Amino acid sequence: MGDLARLLKESWSLVEEHQDKVAGYFYARIFLSYPGLRDLFPVQMDLQRTRLLGAIVTAVQTLEDPERFDEYLRALGRDHRKFHVTPEHYEVVGGALIEAMRAHAGQEWGVEYDQAWADAYAVIASKMLAGADADANPPYWYAEVVAHERRGPDIAVFTVLPLQPLEYRAGQYLSLEATRYQPRLWRTYSPANAPRRDNTLDFHVRALGAGWVSSALVRKLRVGDMIKLAAPMGTMTLDRRSTRDAVFVAGGTGLAPIKSLLEELTRYNRTRWVHVFFGARTREDLYDLADLNRLAARYPWLSVVTACSDDPTFPGEQGNISDVVARYGPWQEHDFFVSGTGQMVRATLKTLAELQVPSIRVKYDAFNE
């Protein structure tokens, strides 16, 4: 795919500075031609635009990595089943995408770019459709809220019970729709527990600014409400064959998948030392520290280090959690798992690279709403 990848990257560079306009044109073209498709999308389209562009960029950047390219697109196809997407919709999307890019690329856009995107999109669509066709699960699961607890003005921990069994691996994430409050608006959250016999899932959510879904989950969600959960995705999972000690780095509610992985480790680990670094702005944001400390007291192989970046009276470590990790170590022989905001994850990955931790041993999950 060498020539194809080159053409795609060249053509994307022509529109990269106009991403919002490309996305706006793309959706307008679809909805004008096929008004019925509008009902598949949320009322607020801002985040949907950024997700489209994120998917495009990821697909383009993974073309030269066939294994990752295939895995990503099949998972994306499974995930899009929640929108009731059909094969006919893929044709509409492909045509609108190329037209939107052509409209904003200027005079440098040529017929070879048209053909490159048509060829690439055909591969993308076929892999997504194959992923969707191979999934025997329902497009989404209904789940009942069975517990909801506020852990501060903007953080909630709640538990749901899917009406049908939902299989996932510790460390994965799910798309979630607060059906009663924000229909057709999906956000990704990681369960904070490994799979249980009773099938319940815990979620940790912070209300982020004007975040439509996160605010509803924290401030409006009630016991008895129904939500929707889509197919699990993500590869931040444990390799049981690894004998290396492990380091978990969590920022804020990025603790959720870390707790899920820890819970899995408690079921079988006897030989690996595990270090958890949990960071937040203030001590109030260390919303689940009591439970972490209980785990550390119960399992001698587990240690917990906490840090606050904006709380000078906090008795633990001070500073960003990425900087705190650098004060310990050495870490070159450890497996790393990192979860938090995009900014926190980027800072931690940069620190680990400076500490010469091989990137192949680092798994991460970055979230933003």
Side-chain angles (χ1 to χ4, degrees):
M1 285 192 176
D3 288 342
L4 178 59
R6 177 182 59 78
L7 290 169
L8 291 172
K9 290 178 181 179
E10 283 180 4
S11 55
W12 179 253
S13 70
L14 300 178
V15 299
E16 195 165 12
E17 293 182 1
H18 312 291
Q19 294 184 29
D20 289 342
K21 292 180 179 179
V22 171
Y25 187 103
F26 166 77
Y27 281 109
R29 195 75 190 89
I30 290 177
F31 298 153
L32 283 172
S33 301
Y34 300 88
L37 291 182
R38 183 64 181 90
D39 292 338
L40 298 178
F41 294 87
V43 175
Q44 299 89 7
M45 289 292 294
D46 290 347
L47 188 79
Q48 189 66 38
R49 291 192 179 100
T50 64
R51 284 187 169 170
L52 160 75
L53 294 161
I56 292 171
V57 172
T58 300
V60 169
Q61 292 176 341
T62 55
L63 273 175
E64 294 173 303
D65 185 349
E67 184 175 340
R68 182 178 167 219
F69 180 62
D70 185 78
E71 179 184 347
Y72 171 76
L73 290 173
R74 287 178 182 272
L76 199 62
R78 290 193 297 271
D79 181 65
H80 273 61
R81 294 179 66 221
K82 67 178 182 275
F83 295 119
H84 303 287
V85 175
T86 68
E88 292 74 23
H89 294 149
Y90 280 90
E91 296 181 20
V92 175
V93 168
L97 175 61
I98 295 171
E99 189 174 332
M101 295 182 66
R102 186 192 307 126
H104 291 88
Q107 297 181 349
E108 293 183 56
W109 187 273
V111 65
E112 71 277 12
Y113 294 149
D114 261 4
Q115 190 61 52
W117 278 92
D119 292 344
Y121 185 79
V123 175
I124 290 169
S126 67
K127 290 184 180 294
M128 289 180 66
L129 284 166
D133 290 342
D135 190 359
N137 290 309
Y140 47 77
W141 289 256
Y142 282 100
E144 180 182 359
V145 180
V146 296
H148 189 282
E149 178 187 358
R150 293 287 290 271
R151 297 279 180 90
D154 59 355
I155 295 178
V157 173
F158 61 91
T159 303
V160 303
L161 175 62
L163 302 189
Q164 297 173 269
L166 194 167
E167 294 184 3
Y168 69 98
R169 291 192 62 188
Q172 288 191 302
Y173 57 86
L174 308 152
S175 291
L176 187 156
E177 179 197 84
T179 310
R180 177 180 177 183
Y181 306 104
Q182 293 293 340
R184 305 198 307 276
L185 203 57
W186 296 80
R187 296 292 185 271
T188 56
Y189 295 99
S190 299
N193 60 284
R196 297 169 176 157
R197 290 183 179 179
D198 67 1
N199 293 318
T200 57
L201 297 90
D202 299 335
F203 291 96
H204 299 179
V205 178
R206 178 190 292 276
L208 297 171
W212 298 95
V213 175
S214 62
S215 293
L217 294 174
V218 171
R219 302 188 174 104
K220 297 180 181 179
L221 197 67
R222 298 290 182 268
V223 171
D225 283 346
M226 301 297 292
I227 66 171
K228 291 178 183 176
L229 301 171
M233 298 178 67
T235 58
M236 196 179 75
T237 55
L238 290 168
D239 180 358
R240 291 202 176 197
R241 298 167 299 179
S242 176
T243 58
R244 286 184 292 272
D245 295 336
V247 181
F248 296 91
V249 188
T253 51
L255 180 65
I258 299 304
K259 281 198 70 179
S260 178
L261 294 166
L262 285 174
E263 187 173 314
E264 181 175 331
L265 280 167
T266 64
R267 298 174 183 176
Y268 73 88
N269 181 48
R270 298 293 182 273
T271 60
R272 304 172 71 181
W273 294 100
V274 177
H275 312 272
V276 174
F277 290 85
F278 180 28
R281 287 195 317 106
T282 67
R283 70 185 72 198
E284 288 75 20
D285 293 332
L286 298 171
Y287 64 95
D288 209 35
L289 182 56
D291 197 50
L292 269 184
N293 286 335
R294 280 193 291 269
L295 280 174
R298 183 175 180 182
Y299 297 97
W301 44 261
L302 176 62
S303 66
V304 176
V305 174
T306 53
C308 286
S309 59
D310 295 314
D311 189 344
T313 64
F314 180 64
E317 293 280 358
Q318 295 284 334
N320 293 325
I321 197 64
S322 57
D323 297 328
V324 173
V325 171
R327 298 172 196 162
Y328 292 73
W331 301 125
Q332 288 92 336
E333 301 302 321
H334 290 66
D335 289 335
F336 269 82
F337 299 82
V338 184
S339 177
T341 64
Q343 181 180 3
M344 172 266 178
V345 169
R346 287 190 296 272
T348 305
L349 295 181
K350 181 175 182 291
T351 295
L352 296 182
E354 292 170 350
L355 295 174
Q356 298 182 333
V357 176
S359 60
I360 195 171
R361 294 185 190 158
V362 182
K363 293 185 178 182
Y364 60 91
D365 183 8
F367 63 86
N368 288 294
E369 174 153 310

